[in-house]
Amino acid sequence: MPDDKVKRRLTTVLCADVHGYSRLMEADEAGTLETLRRYRTAIARLVERHDGRIVNTWGDAVIAEFASVVEAVQCAVEIQQEISNEDSGPPPPMRFRIGINLGDVMVDGSDLYGDGVNIAARLQELAEPGGIVISSSAYDQVHNKLSVGFDCLGQRPMKNIAPVTSYRVTMSGQTAQARSFPPGERLTSQTASAGSQTDAAHRDRSESSNWMGFVSDGLAKLPRPVAAALTVSAFLILINIFTGMHKIWFHWPVAALLFGAIMRTALRDRPESGGKSER
């Protein structure tokens, strides 16, 4: 009897399609089709370079399979970079959206079916034109292996599929801090941690600056001899502390300095005698 058991495997699925394809076709059918053919050729070449295979090319979409999540994401980045660098396409430019998912799929000959494929297609719908969105299962495998950034989009509702945590890939030196996030988005844990460390450093510098400013303002309000005596006294106290408190000696020079400063201030502010004013 034939074996009717469904074959399954864990694999990485890349789904790409053209943003606004119907609008492009309405504006210029021949030019749009020619551009699509050229880009599909480039996509097939890059997929093969990263040890993947094209599963399907229905309509304006491309579905590819990869044994490695890292290779799939790297391939997607190169696809978007190559298409972005193309200047020969007719206006408006053709832009692809790409979704990548690592999941379980059903295998029927050379075709793939199941939630593993459907999730990749839904992630592609979340991507911006020229952008890439990957599932959390793919993110876990690549976040520390590629020189690209990731913005966590959280759990987004997907048609006929349970919500999946997704991540947007940031390219060309883009950082999460430099992006403006739509409502509901949040940064990845690495970015949030970096941001909190930066904020803490700013707070430390601000608090230090405020403390020094307070001391400086306080000394400025005192008579100059007293302010100078207090400053020298502080240095003497620190010297005594750092050279050992087993013998305290700072009180004698500090007392002399403060006494001299107070006397000088008092004598300077003493009103002139009556006889001198009459002369």
Side-chain angles (χ1 to χ4, degrees):
M1 293 179 63
D3 186 5
D4 294 332
K5 183 178 179 180
V6 176
K7 294 182 179 179
R8 293 181 175 272
R9 66 167 172 257
L10 185 68
T11 191
T12 306
V13 178
L14 179 152
C15 182
D17 88 340
V18 179
H19 174 69
Y21 181 70
S22 299
R23 174 177 51 82
L24 294 173
M25 287 293 287
E26 183 179 354
D28 181 4
E29 284 187 346
T32 298
L33 184 57
E34 175 60 29
T35 303
L36 179 61
R37 287 172 176 169
R38 186 172 68 254
Y39 286 163
R40 275 184 172 171
T41 300
I43 291 172
R45 171 174 47 81
L46 291 170
V47 168
E48 183 179 2
R49 178 190 297 176
H50 289 277
D51 299 323
R53 71 177 184 93
I54 301 293
V55 176
N56 207 324
T57 58
W58 43 268
D60 60 309
V62 175
I63 297 180
E65 177 189 19
F66 297 82
S68 165
V69 187
V70 174
E71 293 293 339
V73 176
Q74 186 62 49
C75 179
V77 170
E78 292 180 13
I79 288 172
Q80 297 293 33
Q81 289 175 340
E82 182 157 330
I83 292 176
S84 177
N85 292 333
E86 281 279 351
D87 296 325
S88 57
M94 182 178 289
R95 291 290 178 262
F96 282 78
R97 299 179 299 176
I98 298 179
I100 297 175
N101 177 50
L102 170 64
D104 187 79
V105 300
M106 296 183 294
V107 182
D108 183 12
S110 60
D111 291 332
L112 303 178
Y113 301 94
D115 281 349
V117 180
N118 296 336
I119 290 173
R122 296 293 182 262
L123 292 171
Q124 162 263 310
E125 294 172 358
L126 296 178
E128 302 168 350
I132 305 165
V133 172
I134 67 175
S135 64
S136 58
S137 58
Y139 170 81
D140 291 340
Q141 301 298 319
V142 303
H143 71 276
N144 59 351
K145 297 182 177 72
L146 293 173
S147 57
V148 294
F150 300 92
D151 298 339
C152 182
L153 304 180
Q155 289 190 343
R156 298 294 185 86
M158 297 182 180
K159 184 178 179 181
N160 300 327
I161 295 177
V164 174
T165 301
S166 57
Y167 293 81
R168 175 173 49 201
V169 179
T170 58
M171 300 172 287
S172 302
Q174 231 176 359
T175 61
Q177 294 94 323
R179 298 183 64 89
S180 58
F181 292 90
E185 293 192 11
R186 62 184 180 85
L187 300 180
T188 59
S189 58
Q190 293 95 331
T191 303
S193 175
S196 63
Q197 290 174 1
T198 302
D199 291 342
H202 285 313
R203 287 196 300 270
D204 291 343
R205 286 196 294 269
S206 177
E207 291 172 359
S208 176
S209 176
N210 291 340
W211 180 82
M212 294 179 66
F214 175 78
V215 173
S216 178
D217 291 342
L219 291 175
K221 294 177 182 178
L222 296 173
R224 184 174 297 179
V226 176
L230 288 174
T231 303
V232 175
S233 298
F235 279 109
L236 291 174
I237 293 171
L238 288 175
I239 291 172
N240 196 166
I241 292 173
F242 288 120
T243 56
M245 292 296 291
H246 58 280
K247 183 178 181 181
I248 299 176
W249 51 262
F250 70 83
H251 53 287
W252 295 116
V254 167
L257 284 170
L258 292 177
F259 178 77
I262 292 171
M263 290 300 297
R264 182 175 178 182
T265 302
L267 292 174
R268 185 186 64 182
D269 295 339
R270 186 180 60 180
E272 295 181 353
S273 62
K276 184 176 180 180
S277 60
E278 289 175 358
R279 289 195 300 267

